[in-house]
Amino acid sequence: MMSEEVIVTTSRKAAPERLAEAERWAERLHVPVVPRTDLSLAKLTTAAGVPGVLVVGGERVTYHEPGRGLNYFFHPGMARRRIRNYESGHGDPMATAMRLQAGDKVLDCTLGRGTDATLASHVVGPSGRVMGLEKAPILAWLTIEGLATYEIDDHLTCEAMRRIEARCADHHELLAAQARRSFDVVYFDPIFDQPLERSSGMIPLRALACPDAVTPETVALARRVARRCVVIKQRRGTELWEGLGAEVTLVAGGKSRIEYGVIEP
Ligand SMILES: C[S@@+](CC[C@H](N)C(=O)[O-])C[C@H]1O[C@@H](n2cnc3c(N)ncnc32)[C@H](O)[C@@H]1O
């Protein structure tokens, strides 16, 4: 979804500060604000000739596409459970694949809703650094705002979220502009070409996401920036590894149907 196919509005009978907030969202996304009036979201989007609308409500900001019955808002996914598991000594397959330790610098090139970045941010701690890049503007801004403001009743998760440097950016451009060996780990979790069954939480995110695949060119850019390794998440049994032009070591994703490909720089 390109942001020019979107309008911003408020919930019905919104307080004046919601309108000011809606205007800030419209500026970020370079799209118009449309007064809500009494119209349904379906009628509002039809009248504006766009498929999507971002609704600034009292509780949260939600993206709706009435034509597809789609709605998406930020939440940190499994971050809290993964941090708890990690703290209980059960580890985390992504952190294992990255050989992650306190003080590391991680570049998450596919930030999405920031679940992986939050786990990484917890492991590297305040002496480390996690930068997250998301190309799809609506997803990016909902995640930037969510990581900075979402309240969760777990201080470790909350602090890890707040420390992430999230940006709306294309990872190809940012990688090309980075200094050599400037991050310990460069990470990719691209949209799988076939969704995992039962992963229904991914459906709205997939609809908004940028479908860029990881190519040999992407891997070459990432290897220049990585000091320790480039890590790519994929569904188990993928054919991606054969075509990347690099030696890939596989690390199992716990009991799940995913695996991590690790490439040395
Ligand atoms: C499967 S999701 C990542 C989920 C994420 N690991 C998490 O924990 O929430 C992949 C994300 O990468 C983003 N993406 C795809 N190509 C990109 C690019 N060239 N630059 C930055 N982000 C990109 C997509 O828009 C999508 O949000």
Side-chain angles (χ1 to χ4, degrees), residues 5-62:
E5 296 173 320
V6 174
I7 53 173
V8 180
T9 192
T10 60
S11 47
R12 285 190 173 113
K13 300 192 179 75
E17 57 266 30
R18 293 284 95 74
L19 196 56
E21 209 184 314
E23 274 159 9
R24 278 199 297 279
W25 277 94
E27 265 169 43
R28 283 169 176 166
L29 296 168
H30 310 290
V31 300
V33 181
V34 174
R36 178 60 193 270
T37 64
D38 264 342
L39 288 182
S40 68
L41 294 177
K43 288 193 174 143
L44 202 70
T45 45
T46 305
V50 295
V53 54
L54 199 69
V55 180
V56 178
E59 299 276 297
R60 61 186 174 211
V61 180
T62 308

Side-chain angles (χ1 to χ4, degrees), residues 192-197 233-239 241 257-259:
F192 298 164
D193 48 3
Q194 303 204 338
L196 293 176
E197 322 79 53
K233 178 173 166 184
Q234 274 298 300
R235 57 187 293 151
R236 207 178 277 165
T238 178
E239 286 164 18
W241 312 129
R257 294 154 292 162
I258 55 164
E259 64 190 8

Side-chain angles (χ1 to χ4, degrees), residues 23-149:
E23 274 159 9
R24 278 199 297 279
W25 277 94
E27 265 169 43
R28 283 169 176 166
L29 296 168
H30 310 290
V31 300
V33 181
V34 174
R36 178 60 193 270
T37 64
D38 264 342
L39 288 182
S40 68
L41 294 177
K43 288 193 174 143
L44 202 70
T45 45
T46 305
V50 295
V53 54
L54 199 69
V55 180
V56 178
E59 299 276 297
R60 61 186 174 211
V61 180
T62 308
Y63 174 75
H64 294 265
E65 253 181 61
R68 289 204 278 176
L70 187 95
N71 59 64
Y72 175 87
F73 53 87
F74 174 84
H75 69 81
M78 301 283 280
R80 179 178 134 146
R81 187 184 298 180
R82 282 174 65 184
I83 288 176
R84 288 209 168 158
N85 271 348
Y86 186 83
E87 282 302 301
S88 328
H90 299 301
D92 180 274
M94 182 194 77
T96 304
M98 292 177 173
R99 287 170 270 147
L100 211 54
Q101 54 199 23
D104 279 351
K105 291 186 187 151
V106 177
L107 180 61
D108 180 346
C109 289
T110 49
L111 181 65
R113 62 163 52 105
T115 308
D116 288 334
T118 301
L119 187 277
S121 169
H122 173 70
V123 177
V124 305
S127 62
R129 178 180 183 204
V130 176
M131 185 191 280
L133 311 177
E134 173 52 54
K135 181 171 168 185
I138 295 168
L139 259 182
W141 281 105
L142 287 172
T143 300
I144 291 169
E145 183 87 359
L147 290 172
T149 62

